[in-house]
Amino acid sequence: MRKVVSRDGTTIAYEKAGEGPPIVLLNGSFRDHTIFDALVPELAPHCTTYVYDRRGRGQSGDAPEYAVEREIEDLEAVIQEAGGEAVVFAGSSGANLAIEAALAGAPITKLALHEPFFRTEDFPKPVWNFAKTLRVLLTEDRRDEAVEHFLGGFLGFTPDTIAEWRKGPIWAMNEANAHTLAYDTLICGDYTVPADRLATYETETLVLNSNSTSAWLKAAARATTAALPNGRGLELPGSWHRIDMDVLGRTLAEFATA
């Protein structure tokens, strides 16, 4: 992977592929750049893609103390590698991070978001001590329990669903990146759509959700779209928290090149 040094000296690893206008792909909880392995071939004929490992994951470095501002600087460093400005596509807690970066003035030409992790008033937020319990589990290196705590307490998974995930091929990555769940929890703040702040953001923004995702994620996507003066929402075919890859690739390519 290629490397770029973020403002605080942390090395961020990224890969570049394709040809055309630049688009930076920003992953969410648990994952590293490999989450986009199937999406990059869909975009590469139309765009120059930049996928990177967020700090603390994969081949990227980390720092002793975490701050959301440092992750914003990481994204800006990758955008600088892309020529100084770029379209950004981000999903899950990565969408929350991209929103914070956009509102902080990152050079984003267009913004595409997939199911940001907000809760509208119709859906309960994680319990008040969710983040504290997560930090305790991670401090004690109880990674397996931290993953279960996040899946159940934040995403609302049932014990049966967690048991099925445990059997899957990505559980090892879940545990390996468990320490970054504390980062994503901080990024999500109080889990509320920052409507007043989004009302000031004029850049064209596309907010996507799957037609088969959770009701709270659909509601979050709608509320985010409604708060944006230049926002457009699309519901696309897919499964839970995932859009069919060919549809997603085509939608993002059209958005990035229009």
Side-chain angles (χ1 to χ4, degrees):
M1 295 183 75
R2 305 180 187 214
K3 302 290 177 68
V4 63
V5 179
S6 193
R7 183 176 298 179
D8 72 340
T10 300
T11 300
I12 303 299
Y14 73 95
E15 290 185 346
K16 175 183 176 182
E19 191 170 323
I23 181 169
V24 177
L25 309 181
L26 177 59
N27 62 272
S29 303
F30 294 116
R31 306 293 173 248
D32 58 22
H33 78 280
T34 59
I35 192 66
F36 297 118
D37 282 355
L39 181 58
V40 167
E42 299 285 341
L43 290 173
H46 314 283
C47 305
T48 304
T49 61
Y50 293 79
V51 296
Y52 71 99
D53 289 339
R54 288 172 55 192
R55 62 174 54 211
R57 312 171 197 224
Q59 296 185 39
S60 288
D62 206 349
E65 294 186 10
Y66 179 80
V68 177
E69 291 79 9
R70 302 294 80 76
E71 284 226 65
I72 293 173
E73 291 165 1
D74 299 345
L75 174 58
E76 290 175 333
V78 176
I79 292 174
Q80 190 61 38
E81 292 290 290
E85 60 180 21
V87 177
V88 170
F89 168 65
S92 310
S93 58
N96 296 61
L97 174 58
I99 287 171
E100 291 304 316
L103 294 174
I108 298 171
T109 56
K110 293 181 181 180
L111 181 61
L113 306 170
H114 174 226
E115 298 182 9
F117 279 170
F118 294 124
R119 297 295 174 98
T120 62
E121 61 183 21
D122 296 329
F123 297 92
K125 298 177 181 180
V127 295
W128 66 271
N129 62 344
F130 167 79
K132 180 179 180 180
T133 301
L134 179 64
R135 289 195 300 271
V136 169
L137 292 172
L138 293 172
T139 299
E140 297 176 355
D141 201 31
R142 294 156 63 185
R143 289 174 172 267
D144 184 84
E145 293 175 67
V147 172
E148 288 194 354
H149 179 66
F150 187 85
L151 293 177
F154 189 98
L155 296 182
F157 282 15
T158 65
D160 287 345
T161 300
I162 294 173
E164 286 300 313
W165 269 48
R166 183 181 289 278
K167 299 174 187 175
I170 60 174
W171 190 264
M173 180 182 287
N174 292 349
E175 288 194 14
N177 290 327
H179 60 286
T180 63
L181 296 176
Y183 304 173
D184 290 316
T185 301
L186 281 172
I187 288 166
C188 292
D190 68 354
Y191 315 107
T192 302
V193 177
D196 290 345
R197 297 165 63 213
L198 287 175
T200 68
Y201 189 65
E202 299 287 345
T203 299
E204 184 179 359
T205 303
L206 180 65
V207 185
L208 306 173
N209 67 270
S210 160
N211 61 358
S212 298
T213 200
S214 300
W216 70 270
L217 288 168
K218 289 184 179 182
R222 289 194 298 269
T224 302
T225 304
L228 289 158
N230 200 11
R232 175 167 59 98
L234 276 179
E235 184 167 279
L236 299 174
S239 53
W240 180 82
H241 204 38
R242 184 184 183 280
I243 295 168
D244 291 347
M245 202 55 59
D246 58 335
V247 177
L248 178 59
R250 185 167 60 250
T251 301
L252 289 177
E254 291 174 355
F255 180 67
T257 59

